[in-house]
Amino acid sequence: MTARRALVALASCVVLVLSGCGLGSGSAVPFEVGPGSIEPAPELQGVKITVGSKEYTEQVILGYILEYTLAAAGADVRDLTGIVGSRSTREAQLRGQVDVAYEFTGNAWINYLGNEKPIPDTREQFEAVRDEDLARNDMVWLEPGPMDDTYALAASRRVVERTGVRTLSQYADLVRRDPAAAKTCVDTEFRARQDGFPGMAAAYGFDPARAQTPILQVGIIYQATADATQCDFGEVFTTDGRIAALDLVVLTDDKQFFAHYNPSVTMKRGFFDAHPEIAAVTAPVTAALTNDAIIEMNKQVDVEGRDPAVVARDWMIAEGFVTDR
């Protein structure tokens, strides 16, 4: 089974589970790993920990990385990667069905906490999320990683040359002037989220209803944008390996609308209080999650067709965090 089909099957499975009484208990971690620089933590030996993630490639990779990290430390880890949608994943955490997960600061600030404007400074953004989510929802955020996976719009080089659009301000001008020349492929979440298309339209001063926005699955948007047949522009994530592979041009966010999306290990306060060792165990791994690292891993899955569980394990071994078993 290819990596992409495996993800589709996993997502379909989770949809069925969610439609019933709730999430199941998860499955075993895909591969066994041994200690490397991550050494067994006596306090985590045999502790049952369920790791969750959303369904798209990068989040599934991060979920597996977190699973291998905790497994190497001695925890009894269960796999609930691939939950469909941000809201479903968040609700699973709030209800205690998922114990730990990587979440992004910008996503929480805008979508979970309901703030309309992102904070330009990445550190200030993290601290604001950390403090507000703890106060309101008893959610603990550990130190974030350096990777910043934010939203963007992109186009093929021939569309850029034809339209002259290289910034979001120029894109907004094109929508106002000739909306048919600015057809933009988006997914359902981006089309509705305030840190997505509607908020961007407000920040750049154009009517989102005037733009033509075909709805496609995230994984299809990249190729559709490169082909420039279904759409002239497309929603992308800045750390996606397909941007370089398909020679897409990312439009400059010249008004710095899109929020910073730095990854942080998150969990309920009660779970953290019971297992504070998780912070020390996961810190070096999170710190190693650079844009270059995650772009390469995303590319291996989405472009080369590798299994995300294998890609995550191989990165952990190459970094010396774990050993193969």
Side-chain angles (χ1 to χ4, degrees):
M1 180 180 290
T2 66
R4 188 165 298 166
R5 288 180 181 175
L7 283 177
V8 171
L10 177 60
S12 299
C13 176
V14 175
V15 168
L16 290 175
V17 174
L18 281 169
S19 66
C21 299
L23 289 169
S25 58
S27 57
V29 177
F31 299 100
E32 291 188 11
V33 295
S37 61
I38 298 172
E39 299 178 347
E43 301 86 354
L44 293 178
Q45 295 301 305
V47 173
K48 296 184 184 301
I49 302 178
T50 300
V51 175
S53 84
K54 300 161 203 174
E55 81 278 19
Y56 62 89
T57 296
E58 182 171 276
Q59 268 276 309
V60 173
I61 291 171
L62 291 176
Y64 286 138
I65 286 172
L66 187 51
E67 289 177 6
Y68 297 139
T69 299
L70 296 170
D76 178 9
V77 179
R78 305 302 292 172
D79 172 21
L80 267 181
T81 53
I83 301 170
V84 177
S86 297
R87 288 290 177 184
S88 298
T89 308
R90 171 71 167 189
E91 283 302 312
Q93 270 205 286
L94 292 177
R95 295 174 182 175
Q97 295 163 309
V98 165
D99 296 315
V100 295
Y102 272 111
E103 185 53 87
F104 293 111
T105 52
N107 187 42
W109 182 247
I110 302 293
N111 291 293
Y112 301 155
L113 300 175
N115 298 287
E116 294 186 357
K117 294 184 178 180
I119 298 174
D121 182 82
T122 56
R123 184 69 197 178
E124 291 178 6
Q125 176 77 91
F126 163 69
E127 291 176 352
V129 169
R130 177 196 64 192
D131 296 346
E132 186 170 335
D133 210 13
L134 181 64
R136 288 173 52 180
N137 301 303
D138 270 347
M139 289 292 292
V140 171
W141 287 68
L142 304 184
E143 280 296 304
M147 65 169 277
D148 187 358
D149 177 14
T150 189
Y151 280 125
L153 292 188
S156 68
R157 292 194 181 276
R158 63 181 178 278
V159 167
V160 169
E161 291 170 2
R162 171 170 57 81
T163 62
V165 171
R166 291 184 175 273
T167 70
L168 289 182
S169 287
Q170 292 170 334
Y171 168 83
D173 289 340
L174 182 63
V175 172
R176 287 189 290 264
R177 183 177 71 252
D178 185 7
K183 187 179 293 184
T184 306
C185 289
V186 297
D187 78 327
T188 304
E189 278 201 19
F190 184 73
R191 187 64 183 85
R193 286 166 55 141
Q194 285 309 304
D195 62 337
F197 199 81
M200 182 193 74
Y204 282 92
F206 68 90
D207 181 359
R210 188 167 166 75
Q212 298 182 38
T213 52
I215 302 294
L216 298 178
Q217 292 180 349
V218 173
I220 299 174
I221 291 174
Y222 291 83
Q223 189 64 57
T225 304
D227 293 341
T229 52
Q230 290 177 270
C231 46
D232 303 291
F233 302 89
E235 161 208 353
V236 298
F237 296 102
T238 53
T239 56
D240 198 295
R242 288 167 291 191
I243 292 173
L246 294 170
D247 198 28
L248 298 177
V249 178
V250 175
L251 305 188
T252 301
D253 182 8
D254 48 310
K255 292 188 177 182
Q256 296 188 330
F257 164 72
F258 288 117
H260 294 290
Y261 282 67
N262 302 111
S264 169
V265 176
T266 61
M267 68 201 83
K268 292 288 288 183
R269 188 198 324 233
F271 192 81
F272 175 74
D273 288 344
H275 309 291
E277 300 79 18
I278 290 175
V281 168
T282 59
V285 178
T286 302
L289 289 170
T290 63
N291 270 16
D292 287 344
I294 199 66
I295 286 171
E296 175 58 28
M297 286 188 274
N298 286 336
K299 179 172 75 70
Q300 289 181 37
V301 175
D302 289 324
V303 179
E304 300 172 14
R306 298 188 69 207
D307 186 326
V310 175
V311 169
R313 180 200 59 184
D314 288 353
W315 179 77
M316 293 285 288
I317 291 172
E319 292 292 315
F321 293 126
V322 302
T323 53
D324 195 8
R325 273 190 177 175

